[in-house]
Amino acid sequence: MTWVNVVVQGLLLGGLYALFATGLSLMFGVMRLVNLAHGDLSIVAAFLALAIVDQVHVNPLWTLLVVVPLMGGVGYLLQRGLLNFTLRGGDPLPPVLVTFGLSIILQNLLLEVFSADSQGLDAGRLENASIRISDRLAVGWFPLLTLVTAVAVLVGLQLVLTRTRLGRSFRATSDDPEAASLVGLDPRHVFAMATAIALATVAVAGLFLGVRTTFTPSIGPTRLIFAFEAVIIGGLGSIWGTLAGGLVLGVAQTLGAQLSPGWGVLAGHLVFLAVLAFRPTGLLGREVPA
Amino acid sequence: MTAAVVRVQRATLPSRIGLAVGLAAVLVLALGPLWALDSVLRTLISVFTLLALAQMWNLLAGYAGLVSIGQQAYVGLGAYGLLLFADTLGLPLVVAVLAAAVAGTLIAVPTALLAFRLRGGYFAIGTWVIAEVYRLVVTNVAQLGGGSGLTLRAASSFDRTTRLYLTYELALAVGVGTVAVTYLLLRRRLGLALTAIRDGEQSAQSLGVPVFRTKFVVYLVAAFGCSLAGAVIYLNLLRVQPEAAFSVNWTAFMIFIVVIGGVGTIEGPIIGTIVFFVLQETLSGYGAWYLVLLGAVAVVVTVAARRGLWGLVADRTGWSLFPVQRRLEERW
């Protein structure tokens, strides 16, 4: 029963990782841009929520109403004002350098503003309440809510991509930016909309992370790495792959940690490397590897 | 009508002057223990080793398009290799430094085979993950001191001054060596292959350029250089901890230096290293703001002046201190 519990907790943790992976996957899918500041932006969202809670003393989940649109706006401006300029010419170097520089800037700005202290978002009773299934197995309401939210975000994104004008413009621009601009789409605007949606999901992920555990200005890169591993394990270009990748990573980490406390994160890395070695298209990937 | 006689020319007047000045500077620096204070020598050890790291990152990213954020793996492996070969196996220090670099290169073989399955930005994070794997493995091995690390004991057989001079000369050799090796490699077929790959990977492949092998060789050379620099850095620092030795900050510094100096030029990392140290000495009191500034400079330079400080100089003057390109001169 202990092992069942470990796997269940891993699946729930995986929901959070899938949430983190969504935005990374979307930005790569639409414009082949890998945003190395992805994790740091989620921590920015968590600190924004913290700052709001400090002022108005509400349950941090209410701050989603402010932080999500705000980060979406930040995403739009970031793409139009900076990241679009790194995509000219198809050279892979500028996007990596600029987003890595951005990551360093954000970490150190957060450090100056909020100090290196560990912070947490207190969601009150929701945080510790759980559904007891048996003596050894309990499912926390909040981790369950995280997993449900991740599925909802992924399904919502899938619907946007397949059913809406915006989704069509994403797919068209992704296939061929020049042809898309010939039929009246502005790739700069389309890319900015994709980044806006990506950062909106990043904001949700950062907030749920902040409720689930403590955070500091320097943990962004680890979040980026987990998101990336979920994307690669699941397979590029597949919404359900992203969910599967997150779940596999979560289970690998909790199983590893159960074997020996120091091996949790390492076990996740090893599963990622195994996928890279033996199934580079990922579990559900359809395309050639990245 | 006279037929044009075309001659392939590489050296130029500025490059000949540059080479002479450079060799003189290396000679003066090699005599450093005769004229410099110990504190100056210590600073120069950091300067030379960072130059080596930056030049290796430049070779990877600037010439082979391999944007690694995992070069800290080799700094850490070099450091732990030094401990293993010098303390556990009892090899002489200089031999241990070289053995550590060879060990780092051997570990780079499977690393490259895995990481090369990813491209562009995903290659960058992939190399970072692999560096994290090495850090976590070292942290979990009690014999390597776990999370709290180890101290190099072999160094205590030397007196302080001898060890400082030895480390200094090694650091200078590593710094100058990486510049020279990069230059010589780029003048050979490898340089032509890299240029062809940069201009179009698929067309290069179709013309028979061995794309995979070329990148693989560059990755191994960079792993060797970074492991070597890592070993020398920790021969100076003595205390090795996994958090510090495998810190992504090593790669962050390499990136700043190369971007500010000029990516894809041999001169760039040299200028970048000097600028980086001047900034560090002047601004280190500002703590995190200093890193915010470095990040902002890297972002602005990448977007607005992609070829860095040396690019600005070269565009205005046409100078090239390390002529790797072939110029055609017509003689009538």
Side-chain angles (χ1 to χ4, degrees):
Chain A
M1 210 56 187
T2 316
W3 293 102
V4 175
N5 186 42
V6 170
V7 171
V8 169
Q9 303 310 327
L11 290 171
L12 295 172
L13 177 63
L16 184 64
Y17 293 159
L19 206 46
F20 270 99
T22 309
L24 196 69
S25 180
L26 175 67
M27 283 178 73
F28 183 81
V30 174
M31 61 193 115
R32 300 289 175 271
L33 179 84
V34 178
N35 176 14
L36 297 181
H38 184 81
D40 306 291
L41 286 160
S42 75
I43 306 304
V44 167
F47 273 107
L48 279 175
L50 183 75
I52 295 172
V53 171
D54 272 354
Q55 294 298 317
V56 293
H57 307 288
V58 290
N59 188 305
L61 291 181
W62 287 109
T63 65
L64 281 168
L65 296 175
V66 180
V67 175
V68 169
L70 191 64
M71 290 301 288
V74 167
Y76 190 90
L77 295 175
L78 182 67
Q79 187 66 40
R80 285 220 74 152
L82 181 64
L83 299 182
N84 274 340
F85 297 101
T86 68
L87 295 173
R88 292 175 302 195
D91 182 354
L93 198 53
V96 175
L97 296 182
V98 166
T99 55
F100 187 69
L102 198 60
S103 158
I104 305 272
I105 294 173
L106 291 176
Q107 281 176 53
N108 287 286
L109 277 180
L110 287 175
L111 190 63
E112 282 293 338
V113 177
F114 293 98
S115 86
D117 296 344
S118 278
Q119 306 283 356
L121 294 168
D122 182 7
R125 277 177 38 223
L126 180 63
E127 217 170 303
N128 297 318
S130 60
I131 315 159
R132 262 174 58 103
I133 294 172
S134 78
D135 279 352
R136 297 263 188 87
L137 182 61
V139 174
W141 273 107
F142 187 74
L144 189 62
L145 178 66
T146 312
L147 179 58
V148 170
T149 307
V151 174
V153 166
L154 284 165
V155 170
L157 188 62
Q158 177 81 330
L159 290 176
V160 168
L161 283 174
T162 52
R163 301 282 172 84
T164 66
R165 262 184 92 85
L166 183 65
R168 265 203 308 283
S169 71
F170 283 168
R171 286 181 289 141
T173 314
S174 168
D175 284 347
D176 189 338
E178 277 176 34
S181 52
L182 280 178
V183 296
L185 290 171
D186 179 359
R188 291 171 304 174
H189 171 74
V190 174
F191 288 168
M193 287 304 290
T195 305
I197 293 179
L199 287 208
T201 67
V202 160
V204 178
L207 241 126
F208 276 71
L209 171 81
V211 173
R212 185 186 171 102
T213 171
T214 56
F215 53 96
T216 68
S218 60
I219 67 162
T222 319
R223 300 294 126 189
L224 166 72
I225 284 176
F226 293 164
F228 160 73
E229 289 178 331
V231 170
I232 301 292
I233 291 173
L236 290 166
S238 159
I239 291 274
W240 299 115
T242 302
L243 181 63
L247 297 181
V248 168
L249 182 65
V251 172
Q253 288 190 357
T254 50
L255 281 176
Q258 181 71 21
L259 291 172
S260 162
W263 292 87
V265 172
L266 187 57
H269 291 337
L270 294 179
V271 167
F272 157 74
L273 291 180
V275 168
L276 206 53
F278 301 111
R279 198 178 159 81
T281 52
L283 299 179
L284 300 179
R286 294 163 299 172
E287 294 174 50
V288 288
Chain B
M1 206 181 103
T2 332
V5 179
V6 180
R7 209 162 67 96
V8 177
Q9 178 86 11
R10 308 191 93 166
T12 60
L13 184 63
S15 81
R16 291 205 178 92
I17 297 175
L19 184 65
V21 172
L23 288 177
V26 170
L27 189 68
V28 171
L29 287 170
L31 299 173
L34 296 179
W35 53 265
L37 291 171
D38 284 2
S39 59
V40 174
L41 293 181
R42 280 184 203 290
T43 308
L44 287 175
I45 290 172
S46 318
V47 173
F48 298 148
T49 47
L50 265 186
L51 169 63
L53 292 175
Q55 194 63 267
M56 290 294 97
W57 194 85
N58 180 43
L59 180 64
L60 272 179
Y63 288 99
L66 296 167
V67 196
S68 166
I69 303 195
Q71 290 309 98
Q72 67 273 19
Y74 301 104
V75 177
L77 290 171
Y80 277 93
L82 173 68
L83 282 171
L84 192 70
F85 290 115
D87 279 354
T88 314
L89 300 181
L91 296 179
L93 276 181
V94 177
V95 179
V97 167
L98 285 172
V102 171
T105 314
L106 290 178
I107 296 177
V109 172
T111 306
L113 293 179
L114 278 176
F116 278 22
R117 296 192 167 219
L118 301 162
R119 302 189 155 272
Y122 280 157
F123 174 82
I125 317 183
T127 53
W128 194 350
V129 172
I130 298 174
E132 281 294 289
V133 169
Y134 294 142
R135 179 179 69 82
L136 288 168
V137 168
V138 166
T139 309
N140 279 293
V141 174
Q143 288 80 0
L144 293 173
S148 54
L150 286 173
T151 303
L152 183 70
R153 282 174 283 116
S156 56
S157 58
F158 289 90
D159 70 276
R160 277 174 64 93
T161 315
T162 314
R163 185 170 62 78
L164 177 65
Y165 291 175
L166 173 72
T167 312
Y168 174 82
E169 299 296 345
L170 275 174
L172 178 64
V174 171
V176 174
T178 47
V179 174
V181 164
T182 306
Y183 175 52
L184 294 174
L185 275 180
L186 291 175
R187 283 174 66 105
R188 294 166 59 92
R189 287 170 69 94
L190 185 92
L192 282 176
L194 287 172
T195 310
I197 294 169
R198 184 196 62 199
D199 292 345
E201 192 165 322
Q202 279 165 355
S203 45
Q205 180 103 49
S206 68
L207 288 169
V209 176
V211 173
F212 182 88
R213 199 177 73 202
T214 305
K215 291 188 170 189
F216 190 64
V217 166
V218 166
Y219 189 84
L220 294 190
V221 169
F224 183 84
C226 289
S227 308
L228 195 61
V232 174
I233 287 169
Y234 280 91
L235 183 58
N236 183 41
L237 297 178
L238 298 180
R239 178 105 194 118
V240 187
Q241 285 173 302
E243 287 282 341
F246 289 95
S247 165
V248 71
N249 281 346
W250 290 114
T251 300
F253 292 155
M254 297 177 213
I255 293 178
F256 287 137
I257 290 172
V258 174
V259 168
I260 292 169
V263 62
T265 65
I266 299 179
E267 296 87 348
I270 301 174
I271 294 183
T273 306
I274 297 168
V275 172
F276 179 79
F277 264 86
V278 171
L279 283 178
Q280 197 175 49
E281 295 295 314
T282 350
L283 301 173
S284 58
Y286 293 92
W289 289 114
Y290 162 65
L291 290 167
V292 173
L293 178 78
L294 274 186
V297 169
V299 168
V300 170
V301 170
T302 304
V303 175
R306 198 163 284 189
R307 291 174 59 232
L309 286 175
W310 182 256
L312 296 177
V313 174
D315 287 347
R316 276 166 187 65
T317 61
W319 290 356
S320 167
L321 300 184
F322 296 94
V324 292
Q325 66 272 61
R326 290 161 174 78
R327 294 161 195 272
L328 287 185
E329 287 199 349
E330 280 182 283
R331 303 276 165 101
W332 294 90

